[in-house]
Amino acid sequence: MAAAQGRLSDGTGGMDDAKGTGEGSGRTNSAPPAFLTAVEALRGSRLRPQIEVEPTRAPQRLAPHAYALEATVVDGDQDLADGRLVLLHDPAGHDAWRGTFRLVTLVRAELEAEMAADPLLPEVCWSWLTGALQARGLTYGEPSGTVTRASSHYFGGLSERPSASQIEIRASWTPREGLGGVPDAAAHLAAWSDLLAQVAGLPPAGPGDAAVVTLPQRRGPHSR
């Protein structure tokens, strides 16, 4: 398996208010021990080889402390999906989170037009996230998010391009805190990588993925 490192995606953003202060950092030098422990767990995680991950600019307005990763699902020289995962921490707690940590994510992939038109697509995509967390045996609270599908049609000088459809999952949830008030950040990253693989159309990596619903006919991968 590959270590949690790789390359940046297209750099188009993707997190609301995700204006970073520095690569993968949210003032970590002065961060409390619980946050630093969670960040080290993220940095030390190992994922399946098709998922390239590396630190990226972290939000600076969402919480006192933040750490961000972005990932690309790769097959040879082709990108199948991409996403970002942000770990937020407010030592004073946050009423909306009902905890001191929060995970925020954005995941994107292109789809076949027929699949994008499926009326059940949003519910199935949300089940990929909840199923990935459940398959890893993770306890979490206050989940929220959106599933958005969009289609692009090209005209004039761009008319030769084929129409494209994209799915986008934005979500956040509160991980259960363990000993010392530290969540199992590595396990949540593993579940997130399962979601990425599912959106990209990769086969399950292990028995734990069997609980996640699979949809066929994703759009063909894109060359880098």
Side-chain angles (χ1 to χ4, degrees):
M1 293 186 291
Q5 59 186 359
R7 68 177 189 87
L8 292 173
S9 61
D10 60 11
T12 56
M15 293 289 180
D16 290 338
D17 295 324
K19 306 279 187 180
T21 59
E23 185 174 284
S25 67
R27 300 173 295 282
T28 57
N29 290 337
S30 60
F35 178 71
L36 294 176
T37 299
V39 169
E40 285 306 309
L42 293 176
R43 288 174 172 164
S45 295
R46 299 181 65 82
L47 308 177
R48 58 193 297 177
Q50 299 95 334
I51 300 178
E52 297 184 351
V53 186
E54 71 178 10
T56 188
R57 292 171 64 88
Q60 61 179 342
R61 295 194 297 270
L62 301 182
H65 307 283
Y67 183 81
L69 296 169
E70 66 178 4
T72 304
V73 182
V74 177
D75 181 13
D77 63 348
Q78 298 171 322
D79 296 347
L80 304 178
D82 63 71
R84 292 187 178 184
L85 182 70
V86 179
L87 176 69
L88 304 175
H89 180 52
D90 186 343
H94 195 293
D95 290 342
W97 303 353
R98 295 185 182 273
T100 64
F101 283 90
R102 188 76 171 171
L103 286 160
V104 183
T105 187
L106 164 72
V107 172
R108 302 175 299 188
E110 289 201 16
L111 306 172
E112 293 289 349
E114 305 83 51
M115 181 179 174
D118 187 335
L120 296 179
L121 181 65
E123 289 79 6
V124 171
C125 287
W126 186 253
S127 77
W128 291 344
L129 170 62
T130 58
L133 293 168
Q134 292 166 6
R136 294 281 177 176
L138 293 169
T139 303
Y140 62 96
E142 308 305 315
S144 64
T146 62
V147 177
T148 304
R149 48 187 165 186
S151 297
S152 298
H153 302 271
Y154 300 94
F155 301 93
L158 301 176
S159 60
E160 293 184 359
R161 293 187 183 182
S163 298
S165 297
Q166 185 182 74
I167 191 73
E168 180 181 276
I169 303 170
R170 292 175 180 260
S172 63
W173 64 96
T174 299
R176 183 176 66 85
E177 297 169 18
L179 293 176
V182 182
D184 191 347
H188 282 272
L189 176 59
W192 182 68
S193 73
D194 295 340
L195 170 65
L196 272 172
Q198 191 72 19
V199 170
L202 297 182
D209 291 310
V212 181
V213 179
T214 301
L215 284 182
Q217 296 183 329
R218 286 166 181 75
R219 178 176 289 276
H222 294 275
S223 298
R224 298 191 184 191

